Amino acid sequence: MSARLRWRKFVSAFMLSMTGVCAVVAVCVLFFILGYLVYHGGTSISWNFFTRLPAPVGEPGGGMANAIVGSAKLLFLATLIGVPVGFFGAIYLAEFSGTATAFIVRYAADLLNGVPSIVIGIFAYSLAVLPFKHFSTFAGGFALGLMMIPITLRSTEEFLRSVPISLREGAMALGAGKWKTIATVIVPSAYRGILTTILLAFARVAGETAPLLFTALGNRFWSPGWSQPTASLPVAIYNYAISPYEDWHRQAWAAGLVLLALILIINIVARGILARSVSVSRS
Amino acid sequence: MATTTTIVPSGGPVAGSRSFLSRLRDGDEIARLITFLFAASVVLITALLVYELWQGSALPRHQFGLNFFRTSVWDPVFDQFGALPFIYGTLVTSAVALLIAVPLGIGAAIFLAELAPLRLSDTLEFFIDLLAAVPSVIYGLLGIFIVVPLMRNGIQPQLKQYLGFLPLFKGPAYGLGFLTAGVVLAIMIIPYIISVSREILLSVPRDQREAALALGSTRWESTWKVVVPFARTGIIGSVFLALARALGETMAVTMVIGNTPVISPSLLSPGDSIASVIASQFKEATGELYTQSLIELGLVLFLLTFILNGLARLMIVITSQRGSGTGLA
């Protein structure tokens, strides 16, 4: 083996192992984040965290019950806005629309998807806060719902399109109208994909903080109804983490653990649903 | 959508041959109308967003004109608003992030696409997808409590000691600042670079690799001199996509950048970025001009990400078409 060839083989082995190192480093970050959050969050979390209101500074034993309920309300509103628009819009794109219309809608959705979340916050502020002159749960839910629309729309469309043409033809040959075909054949056969899409979109907006800062604002107390400012987990994490108090930092860790656990579990479940549908259709 | 010649949706012969009334009875026309309204609302919302940003920033656009981008004084008390420090901060933090994330991300993508067995590659990709799902406020939390102390006590004193002669590493080590924000951003965008680049690399036709290997190149040479150049446009696209994310990233940056509108050549200095100034000041902004100046910053951010996203998509599409066009078929 010549010296040059030996050198080339050495370079090859070295560089390839470096790429392996890169991959290991990237994946280790996840375990580091998880480990650190579980450690710090786990030691700070308690039953009170889920049942109590925030305590005043210096008093131990407060919780974030209002932020948990607030997040649930915001996400409920977001789903109510984001899922129907995304879902029916996707049906239009996949089943009814002509090429030109579809291009415009898809372009708009991609544009909306790329808008930084803080800009969505400004938009929701000027549409849902300014006219009513006060911050509200509704405005926060609206902002999150806007973010869900393009995610739901684009991947639901993909899943609808991947339904085999033979299924459509079968339904139409049996005399079903177009709407009947969609409602009884196409959507049911793509439902796992659609469910995954909705879950992923939900998980994505569950952690969004920036759009809530000046729409849902935050609240130290319970927020009755839909028209008052409300606390939410992500905003609470932000406010508590930048505060100078040790107690609050611990609460932020606990809230971080709860939020991340929720998001990762939804992600894993969603991917599980999709993986099962793939293996079923393969067999 | 339909590539075959069979009778399928989209107003084909079936739809046309029946009378309007019978279609109405089946609900087809109603369904079409309802779903159309939803699809149209997406376009409407996007148009309204652009309109609101434009309309909402009319005051500073008329008052300052282009000076908004040239001056660096941000003084709400005297109604002086110059965006330069924030634009500077956004660009510097994103540049630091790319400098770290691009080599690491592309290296990892090469490993996943070229070396790792498919099963391992898919498993690691699963973890990397989870990493991409971690919300930015969590990165901010870890940034404040891990990266900032680490920077203040460990890395920044070292940098000052050995590279302190460079203007890049002058001044006190606060921990908060451009460098820290860049590092946190890098951690956040690496998953995006890996995911997209891996897809692109996997779409490079197999014969490209085989030809290089048959000519006697080593595994690395075939990867670096044949596969990566083939996928270059797409990889650059993935970097642009990540850059667009980094520019618009709000929470994590706001929590570690120091929130001080200064332009300093030193990476150790605290600063501010477009997204983080909106996040930290919008709520408290009093007076039309102040609020509208922040909205104009939002408009700038929107335009930046809009252009980058567009370019990125174009590049990714071009590469994957090249891959399938000359593939094994």
Side-chain angles (χ1 to χ4, degrees), chain A residues 8-9 11-12 15-16 19-20 22-23 25-27 29-33 36-37 84-85 88-89 91-92 94-97 101 104-105 107-112 114-120 122-123 125-127 135 146 149 153 161 165 168-169 172 177-180 204 207 209-210 213-214 217 234 237-238 241-242 249 252-253 256 259-260 263-264 267-268 271, chain B residues 1-2 4 6-11 18 26-28 31-32 35-36 38-39 41-43 45-46 48-49 52-53 103-104 107-108 110-112 115 124 126-131 133-139 141-142 144-146 187 190 194 216-221 223 245 248 250-251 254-255 275 278-280 282-283 291 294-295 298 301-302 305-306 309 313:
Chain A
R8 283 171 59 204
K9 290 210 157 165
V11 168
S12 177
M15 292 308 283
L16 289 175
T19 62
C22 291
V25 167
V27 173
V29 171
L30 177 70
F31 291 103
F32 182 74
I33 292 177
Y36 214 86
L37 262 180
V85 178
F88 288 110
I91 288 183
Y92 180 77
E95 308 296 333
F96 289 111
S97 85
T101 333
I104 295 171
V105 175
Y107 189 79
D110 285 344
L111 192 60
L112 197 59
V115 173
S117 56
I118 188 84
V119 177
I120 296 277
I122 294 182
F123 179 52
Y125 173 86
S126 54
L127 275 195
F135 301 103
L146 285 180
I149 292 174
L153 180 93
R161 278 176 191 278
I165 272 176
R168 295 159 209 263
E169 286 170 352
M172 287 183 152
K178 200 159 175 181
W179 174 241
K180 201 148 204 172
R204 161 90 191 278
T209 317
L213 285 176
F214 30 83
L217 199 69
I237 295 174
Y238 170 63
I242 59 172
H249 293 169
W253 282 114
L259 184 65
L260 189 67
I263 289 171
L264 291 190
N267 262 277
I268 292 169
R271 277 159 223 274
Chain B
M1 59 170 281
T4 52
T6 41
I7 305 163
V8 273
S10 317
R18 290 187 294 146
D26 289 349
D28 285 4
R32 186 193 182 90
T35 55
F36 172 75
F38 279 109
S41 73
V42 178
V43 181
I45 287 169
T46 313
L48 200 59
L49 182 127
E52 284 286 342
L53 286 177
L104 214 61
I110 289 177
F111 176 79
L112 292 180
L115 276 182
L124 292 180
F126 173 75
F127 287 126
I128 285 161
D129 282 346
L130 285 188
L131 207 52
V134 176
S136 97
V137 74
I138 300 279
Y139 283 107
L141 187 67
L142 291 154
I144 285 191
F145 294 112
I146 301 173
I187 299 172
I190 284 175
I194 298 180
S217 66
T218 61
R219 190 89 179 262
W220 171 251
E221 284 162 350
T223 302
R245 291 242 158 217
T250 313
M251 298 322 296
T254 309
M255 291 161 89
I278 301 174
S280 56
F282 194 84
K283 198 167 52 183
T291 313
L294 287 169
I295 296 181
L301 198 58
F302 171 78
T305 48
F306 167 59
N309 275 321
R313 279 226 173 82

Side-chain angles (χ1 to χ4, degrees), chain B residues 210-230:
Chain B
E210 283 168 359
L213 291 173
L215 286 170
S217 66
T218 61
R219 190 89 179 262
W220 171 251
E221 284 162 350
S222 95
T223 302
W224 190 244
K225 294 185 178 157
V226 176
V227 177
V228 172
F230 192 96

Side-chain angles (χ1 to χ4, degrees), chain B residues 277-298:
Chain B
V277 72
I278 301 174
S280 56
Q281 299 189 8
F282 194 84
K283 198 167 52 183
E284 280 93 25
T286 48
E288 280 293 280
L289 192 63
Y290 192 2
T291 313
Q292 295 208 4
S293 297
L294 287 169
I295 296 181
E296 185 171 1
L297 282 176

